[in-house]
Amino acid sequence: MVYRFCGPKCSNCCFVLSIWGIIMLIILGIFFKTHAVTVSEDVDGDGWDQTAINCFIAAGMYGFTLLISIWQKYENSRAAYRAGSTNSGRL
């Protein structure tokens, strides 16, 4: 049984946004962990380490979203192959 709940456009969009979110949050987590001056205005007092941990947790959640979007891209490509439409040449 096929569990498709995202179409090809939605899964592609979630794929790109997930990759961007993972990269951005890992970079922010590193900045907070190293007490970078560029993010010093965003933290009050001793919240540096907790903020870094929160960024890494959020990056992990984006990783889960990335896995779901990859799965949906796979299911959509299998459904298109079974239907006989490969959508080659279409934008």
Side-chain angles (χ1 to χ4, degrees):
M1 178 161 209
V2 178
Y3 297 105
R4 287 188 314 148
F5 52 86
C6 291
K9 293 177 185 176
C10 180
S11 61
N12 286 336
C13 180
C14 289
F15 178 78
V16 171
L17 290 176
S18 296
I19 290 174
W20 174 251
I22 291 169
I23 293 169
M24 188 69 195
L25 286 168
I26 286 175
I27 290 171
L28 277 174
I30 292 169
F31 283 166
F32 285 121
K33 195 71 168 170
T34 60
H35 300 268
V37 177
T38 55
V39 293
S40 64
E41 295 179 359
D42 297 327
V43 178
D44 295 330
D46 297 330
W48 290 92
D49 290 332
Q50 186 60 44
T51 305
I53 290 170
N54 289 344
C55 286
F56 294 135
I57 290 172
M61 288 194 274
Y62 268 105
F64 181 71
T65 305
L66 177 68
L67 292 176
I68 291 175
S69 63
I70 289 171
W71 170 52
Q72 288 299 299
K73 285 171 62 74
Y74 173 73
E75 291 294 337
N76 285 321
S77 67
R78 277 186 41 193
Y81 180 75
R82 281 194 303 260
S85 65
T86 59
N87 292 332
S88 59
R90 288 185 63 192
L91 295 177

